[in-house]
Amino acid sequence: MGQQPARAPGKRALTAMSVALVLGCLWVVAASLVALLPSRRQRLPAGLLVLLAPGLLALLALAHGIWVTLASVAAVVSIFRRPLSGAARRAEEALRHDSVDAKGET
């Protein structure tokens, strides 16, 4: 009973999902649940998810490499496309405002 069946050379045994992948799946489920909330109640949980994303992406990069990380970055950007585009727009407006102020001070 204690013996394991022989495997063909080069074949790996099936293993459980890594902690990084489980956390990534939980993050996606949490983001989906936050999307179901009314808009005014999404801000805090969505902000927490955005703050957790870089650490989770780093964990995925360490555990699974660049391709899984790039796919995960694409998923994060897809899920948060509207808040990210709004933040980019506000940052661009702030940069324009600062550059106009800098030109006017001379």
Side-chain angles (χ1 to χ4, degrees), residues 5-88:
R7 288 191 309 262
K11 296 283 184 175
R12 294 193 311 185
L14 294 176
T15 57
M17 285 177 49
S18 70
V19 172
L21 284 178
V22 170
L23 291 175
C25 291
L26 291 174
W27 187 93
V28 169
V29 169
S32 299
L33 292 174
V34 168
L36 295 174
L37 295 173
S39 295
R40 66 183 180 277
R41 302 193 89 194
Q42 288 180 357
R43 198 168 290 248
L44 179 64
L48 291 174
L49 287 171
V50 168
L51 289 176
L52 290 174
L56 181 59
L57 291 170
L59 188 62
L60 283 166
L62 290 173
H64 297 284
I66 189 71
W67 296 113
V68 171
T69 305
L70 289 175
S72 301
V73 167
V76 169
V77 170
S78 172
I79 290 170
F80 286 101
R81 65 187 172 274
R82 289 183 189 251
L84 290 173
S85 65

Side-chain angles (χ1 to χ4, degrees), residues 100-106:
V100 168
D101 287 346
K103 289 179 183 177
E105 289 180 6
T106 56

